[in-house]
C-alpha cells in the first residue's frame, strides 16, 4: 500500500504531499529525482523530522494555530503529518478534530489556504460528474460528504463545513490506517441559511438560501449518480447533514450504494458500546435499564434504535425494547398524546403523562441511563444529576454533545454531584478530575472508536451494502476491549492512546461480519485478521 517515488521529479515531487519526504530524501534520491539543491544539505530521519516539527507545534500559542500548522503540514508531507498524529493521538486528535475543528469551521473563511477536497456547488448542477473528474486521484474508495447544515453542535456553517470531512478522513487514516490516497472530502455547497455567513464578505460558499425540497433532492441524486459513474465502488459517508435530511438520505441510498451516516450509525455504535461496557462491569442487563435521551435528533434516535435492536438478544421483542427508551426533545417528553412527532420519534412515544422538563422526566421514569445529544450546554444540572444518582447506584451519564462548549455537563460536575458513582463518557474530551480523593480519567465516547474501523473493514471486504448489524458487531467488539482496571479508573472505552490497535481489532470483527453475511465482493482470505492488518497503511516513506 505504500507509494513509490518514481512517478514525479523535481519541484513537482516536492510539492506532492503523498510523495514528498522533505529533508529525508537521501543524497542518491536527490541526484536521481532532480531535486539536488532544492533542499538544504541535511539528510534527516523521519524521527528527526517529527521532533523538529513537534517542537514548533508546541511553541504555537493556540489550538487553532496548531490546527492551521498541521493542516499545512498535511499539504506538504503526509507521512510526517500522520506519523505525528499516530504517535500521540491523545494530544493531536483534539487539535485536528473535535473540539478544535469546530472553531476551524467557524473561521474557515479566514484560515482557508489550499483546496483539500471538492466543493460541489449548486452552480454545478448538470455537470457534477465533470467536477468530480477534476480530482487528481482516480482510485477513490472513501468519500466523506457534508452539506454543512449541522456542523457538530454549531448549526449551519454552509461550505465552511469542509473542515469536518477533511478532519474525519484524517482520522480514518490515523486511527485505522485507511490509505490517505483513497480518501476524498466533499462539501455540497447548496447555500446556507446562516444569515451572518450570507453577509460575511469572507464567506467562502454560495451566499444564498439553501436549496430545499425537490431541488435539493435532485441535486443529491445527481451527486450520487456522478459518484457511481466517476468513482464506482466508492463508499459514501454522509456527515453532519441536518436531522430533516439525514435519515431520509441514508434510507434512500443505503441499499443502492455502499453508504452510511456516521452521526446516526457510528454514534449509535459508540453509545451502545459504552452502555454494554458499563453494564458488563456492574453485572446488569441491557434490558433492565431505563434509558432517557435528552435531544431526539439523528444521534439520540440512532442510539435508541441500535440499543433497542441490541436488547433483542435479551429475549425482548422490538416493541418491548423500545419501551425501555424514552426521549426528551425541545418540547418535553416524547409520549403518545403528542401530535407533533416525526415517524422516527413516534416509535418511542409511549403512554405517559406529559412532562416539560428533564428533571421531572428523570424522576418520574426512574431513568438509570441519561444520554445527552441536545447541543444544550449545561442542561444536565446538579438537580438532574443528583436525581440520576437517587434512581440507581451507578447511573450512566453520557453528555455526548460536541464541541466542549455544547456539552450537557462536565466530567467534574458528573463525578462531584454523584459522589463518584457515575459511569461517565462525553463526546469531547475532559481532563482527569479528583472527587473524594479518587482521581477519575473521563472516557471519551466519540465515534472515532467506530468509523475508522468500519472504514478499514469496508476497504477490506468491499461490501455491497453496510447494514446496521455491521455497527452492532463493531459495538460489541469495542465493549469487550476495556479491562477491569481501566473501568475502575473511569473508562468504558479503550484508552484513546490505544486507538490504533482497538480500531484494527474492531475492523477485523466487522470484516468477518461482511464475509459471514455474504456481503463481501472480494474472495475471503485464509486469515482475515492478518489480511486486515496487512492493508492498514503505515506512515513510512
Ligand atoms: P440534531 O440536530 O439531529 O439533534 C439535536 C436535537 O436536540 C434535536 O432533536 C433538537 O430538537 C434537540 N434539542 C434542541 N434543543 C433542545 C432542548 N432545549 N431540549 C431538548 N432537546 C433539544 O443533531 P445530532 O446529530 O443528533 O447531534 C446532536 C449533538 O450530538 C451534537 O452536538 C453533536 O456534535 C453530538 N454528537 C456527538 C457524537 C459523539 O461521538 N459523541 C456523535 C454524534 C453527534
Amino acid at each position: 500500500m505504500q507509494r513509490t517515488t518514481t512517478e514525479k521529479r523535481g519541484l513537482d515531487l516536492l510539492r506532492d504531499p503523498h510523495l514528498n519526504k522533505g529533508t529525508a530524501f537521501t543524497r542518491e534520491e536527490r541526484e536521481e529525482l532532480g531535486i539536488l539543491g532544492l533542499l538544504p544539505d541535511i539528510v534527516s530521519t523521519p524521527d528527526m523530522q517529527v521532533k523538529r516539527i513537534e517542537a514548533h507545534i508546541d511553541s504555537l500559542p493556540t489550538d487553532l494555530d496548531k490546527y492551521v500548522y498541521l493542516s499545512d503540514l498535511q499539504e506538504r508531507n503526509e507521512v510526517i503529518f500522520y506519523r505525528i498524529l499516530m504517535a500521540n493521538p491523545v494530544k493531536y486528535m483534539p487539535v485536528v478534530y473535535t473540539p478544535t475543528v469546530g472553531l476551524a469551521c467557524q473561521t474557515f473563511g479566514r484560515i482557508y489556504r489550499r483546496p483539500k477536497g471538492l466543493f460541489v456547488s449548486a452552480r454545478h448542477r448538470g455537470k457534477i460528474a465533470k467536477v468530480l473528474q477534476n480530482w487528481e486521484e482516480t482510485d477513490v474508495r472513501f468519500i466523506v460528504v457534508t452539506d454543512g447544515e449541522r456542523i457538530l453542535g454549531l448549526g449551519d456553517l454552509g461550505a465552511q463545513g469542509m473542515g469536518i470531512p477533511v478532519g474525519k478522513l484524517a482520522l480514518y487514516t490515523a486511527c485505522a490506517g485507511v490509505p490517505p490516497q483513497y480518501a476524498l472530502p466533499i462539501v455540497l455547497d447548496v447555500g446556507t441559511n446562516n444569515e451572518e455567513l450570507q453577509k460575511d464578505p469572507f464567506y467562502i460558499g454560495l451566499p444564498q438560501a439553501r436549496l430545499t425540497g425537490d431541488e435539493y433532492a435532485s441535486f443529491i441524486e445527481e451527486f450520487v449518480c456522478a459518484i457511481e459513474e466517476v468513482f464506482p465502488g466508492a463508499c459514501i459517508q454522509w456527515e453532519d447533514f441536518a436531522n430533516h435530511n439525514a435519515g431520509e438520505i441514508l434510507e434512500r441510498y443505503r441499499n443502492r450504494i455502499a453508504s452510511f451516516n456516521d452521526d446516526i450509525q457510528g454514534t449509535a455504535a459508540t453509545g451502545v458500546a459504552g452502555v454494554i461496557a458499563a453494564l458488563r462491569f456492574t453485572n446488569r442487563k441491557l434490558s433492565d435499564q431505563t434509558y432517557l435521551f435528552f435531544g431526539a435528533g439523528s444521534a439520540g434516535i440512532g442510539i435508541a434504535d441500535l440499543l433497542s435492536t441490541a436488547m433483542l438478544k435479551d429475549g425482548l421483542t422490538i416493541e418491548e425494547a423500545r419501551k425501555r427508551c424514552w426521549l426528551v426533545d425541545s418540547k418535553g417528553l416524547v409520549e403518545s398524546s403528542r401530535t407533533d412527532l416525526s415517524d422516527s420519534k413516534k416509535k418511542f412515544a409511549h403512554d405517559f403523562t406529559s412532562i416539560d422538563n428533564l428533571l421531572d422526566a428523570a424522576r418520574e421514569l426512574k431513568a438509570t441511563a441519561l444520554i445527552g445529544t441536545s447541543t444544550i450546554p449545561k442542561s444536565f444540572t446538579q438537580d438532574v444529576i443528583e436525581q440520576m444518582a437517587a434512581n440507581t447506584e451507578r447511573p450512566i451519564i453520557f453528555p455526548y454533545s460536541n464541541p466542549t462548549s455544547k456539552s450537557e455537563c462536565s466530567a467534574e460536575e458528573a463525578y462531584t454531584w454523584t459522589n463518584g458513582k457515575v459511569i461517565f463518557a462525553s463526546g469531547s474530551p475532559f481532563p482527569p478530575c479528583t472527587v473524594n480523593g479518587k482521581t477519575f480519567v473521563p472516557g471519551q465516547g466519540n465515534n472515532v472508536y467506530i468509523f475508522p474501523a468500519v472504514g478499514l473493514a469496508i476497504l477490506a471486504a468491499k461490501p455491497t451494502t453496510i447494514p446496521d448489524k455491521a455497527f452492532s458487531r463493531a459495538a460489541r467488539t469495542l465493549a469487550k476491549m476495556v479491562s477491569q482496571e481501566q473501568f475502575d479508573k473511569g473508562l468504558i472505552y479503550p484508552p484513546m492512546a490505544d486507538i490504533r490497535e482497538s480500531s484494527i481489532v474492531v475492523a477485523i470483527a466487522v470484516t468477518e461480519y461482511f464475509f459471514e453475511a455474504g456481503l463481501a465482493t472480494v474472495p475471503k482470505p485464509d486469515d482475515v485478521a492478518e489480511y486486515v492488518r496487512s492493508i492498514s497503511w503505515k506512515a513510512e516513506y
Side-chain angles (χ1 to χ4, degrees):
M1 289 281 168
Q2 305 307 115
R3 301 175 131 208
T4 65
T5 56
T6 53
E7 302 148 19
K8 287 189 180 171
R9 295 175 55 78
L11 274 178
D12 281 351
L13 178 65
L14 296 182
R15 287 184 182 143
D16 186 331
H18 302 315
L19 304 176
N20 181 25
K21 301 184 192 180
T23 55
F25 277 113
T26 63
R27 294 193 197 288
E28 295 72 35
E29 284 172 327
R30 294 176 194 202
E31 292 266 6
E32 267 168 42
L33 298 167
I35 49 175
L36 262 190
L38 297 179
L39 293 165
D41 184 70
I42 188 173
V43 177
S44 311
T45 63
D47 287 345
M48 280 162 71
Q49 290 180 299
V50 166
K51 274 195 192 133
R52 182 165 42 77
I53 287 169
E54 278 210 284
H56 179 71
I57 294 171
D58 288 344
S59 75
L60 295 171
T62 68
D63 282 348
L64 190 59
D65 292 320
K66 293 176 201 218
Y67 174 94
V68 172
Y69 184 82
L70 280 164
S71 177
D72 279 351
L73 176 64
Q74 189 180 15
E75 286 160 24
R76 284 199 314 271
N77 185 329
E78 211 165 55
V79 166
I80 295 300
F81 170 77
Y82 283 112
R83 228 176 152 92
I84 287 176
L85 248 63
M86 287 165 163
N88 199 343
V90 178
K91 181 172 172 186
Y92 291 109
M93 212 107 77
V95 180
V96 296
Y97 204 63
T98 162
T100 312
V101 71
L103 187 57
C105 288
Q106 285 172 312
T107 52
F108 206 77
R110 282 149 183 87
I111 64 173
Y112 174 75
R113 310 249 163 132
R114 283 170 61 189
K116 277 200 182 161
L118 286 173
F119 293 87
V120 177
S121 104
R123 274 190 226 281
H124 302 146
R125 275 176 286 183
K127 51 182 175 190
I128 295 180
K130 272 179 89 177
V131 173
L132 298 183
Q133 280 156 358
N134 288 339
W135 190 246
E136 201 182 7
E137 297 287 341
T138 49
D139 189 8
V140 169
R141 308 279 181 90
F142 255 96
I143 291 154
V144 175
V145 59
T146 185
D147 72 354
E149 190 167 7
R150 202 285 280 136
I151 294 299
L152 303 171
L154 301 169
D156 184 350
L157 298 183
Q160 300 195 166
M162 178 57 107
I164 297 292
V166 168
K168 275 229 139 138
L169 283 165
L171 298 189
Y172 271 98
T173 302
C175 299
V178 171
Q181 67 270 23
Y182 292 153
L184 170 54
I186 296 184
V187 155
L188 298 178
D189 184 359
V190 293
T192 176
N193 293 344
N194 182 329
E195 286 176 13
E196 263 177 51
L197 286 182
Q198 282 184 13
K199 284 186 231 141
D200 182 345
F202 296 123
Y203 178 56
I204 59 166
L206 276 182
Q208 65 184 45
R210 287 183 167 272
L211 297 185
T212 54
D214 288 348
E215 274 195 312
Y216 179 81
S218 66
F219 181 78
I220 301 285
E221 174 64 20
E222 186 190 337
F223 169 70
V224 172
C225 291
I227 295 289
E228 287 173 310
E229 180 189 329
V230 182
F231 303 122
C235 168
I236 299 181
Q237 186 209 302
W238 306 104
E239 177 71 25
D240 281 3
F241 282 72
N243 188 233
H244 53 261
N245 288 323
E248 212 178 301
I249 291 177
L250 175 65
E251 290 313 320
R252 195 177 320 138
Y253 293 108
R254 64 183 300 172
N255 293 321
R256 180 167 135 190
I257 182 166
S259 49
F260 66 98
N261 181 310
D262 185 54
D263 306 305
I264 300 174
Q265 296 154 291
T267 306
T270 311
V272 171
V275 172
I276 294 176
L279 298 178
R280 182 159 75 86
F281 289 106
T282 49
N283 291 320
R284 290 181 288 171
K285 275 166 63 177
L286 267 185
S287 53
D288 288 345
Q289 307 306 307
T290 302
Y291 304 94
L292 181 57
F293 292 85
F294 186 60
S298 305
I301 292 180
I303 303 173
D305 274 332
L306 199 66
L307 206 49
S308 305
T309 311
M311 278 188 258
L312 304 183
K313 281 215 163 169
D314 286 355
L316 269 58
T317 63
I318 192 72
E319 288 75 23
E320 287 167 338
R322 285 181 184 145
K323 286 204 167 116
R324 313 303 291 158
C325 299
W326 295 83
L327 313 176
V328 171
D329 65 11
S330 53
K331 310 246 169 51
L333 183 68
V334 169
E335 40 79 21
S336 53
S337 73
R338 285 206 16 204
T339 53
D340 58 342
L341 300 175
S342 63
D343 286 346
S344 56
K345 289 184 189 174
K346 276 186 194 149
K347 288 182 284 187
F348 298 100
H350 317 305
D351 293 341
F352 211 75
T353 46
S354 67
I355 293 179
D356 66 1
N357 68 83
L358 181 61
L359 175 60
D360 287 352
R363 183 173 45 235
E364 297 303 318
L365 293 165
K366 300 188 179 56
T368 55
L370 175 62
I371 297 164
T373 55
S374 65
T375 72
I376 308 294
K378 299 292 173 201
S379 45
F380 292 177
T381 56
Q382 185 166 355
D383 287 353
V384 169
I385 289 176
E386 286 176 354
Q387 183 61 52
M388 290 300 296
N391 291 350
T392 179
E393 175 65 17
R394 301 292 311 270
I396 293 171
I397 300 183
F398 295 168
Y400 268 175
S401 288
N402 290 322
T404 318
S405 61
K406 301 287 175 184
S407 189
E408 284 85 0
C409 66
S410 70
E412 189 161 17
E413 288 164 346
Y415 282 111
T416 306
W417 295 333
T418 59
N419 226 350
K421 299 281 191 199
V422 70
I423 301 176
F424 178 91
S426 53
S428 294
F430 282 105
C433 58
T434 304
V435 174
N436 296 340
K438 184 171 175 193
T439 299
F440 297 94
V441 183
Q444 195 186 344
N446 197 292
N447 305 20
V448 75
Y449 283 111
I450 299 289
F451 68 80
V454 171
L456 186 60
I458 292 169
L459 194 70
K462 298 203 177 81
T464 45
T465 175
I466 307 157
D468 288 345
K469 281 191 177 154
F471 289 91
S472 301
R473 181 70 67 94
R476 288 191 183 275
T477 309
L478 182 63
K480 283 189 209 141
M481 291 170 63
V482 188
S483 67
Q484 180 73 49
E485 196 190 337
Q486 288 163 345
F487 178 75
D488 290 342
K489 283 190 193 148
L491 292 178
I492 49 167
Y493 298 97
M496 202 51 102
D498 302 340
I499 184 92
R500 177 87 182 184
E501 181 55 20
S502 64
S503 297
I504 302 271
V505 173
V506 173
I508 292 168
V510 177
T511 306
E512 273 164 353
Y513 161 76
F514 286 136
F515 282 110
E516 284 163 24
L519 298 171
T521 59
V522 298
K524 187 170 181 197
D526 292 338
D527 186 334
V528 170
E530 194 189 287
Y531 171 64
V532 171
R533 283 186 191 279
S534 75
I535 63 166
S536 175
W537 184 83
K538 290 164 199 68
E540 287 163 5
Y541 291 130

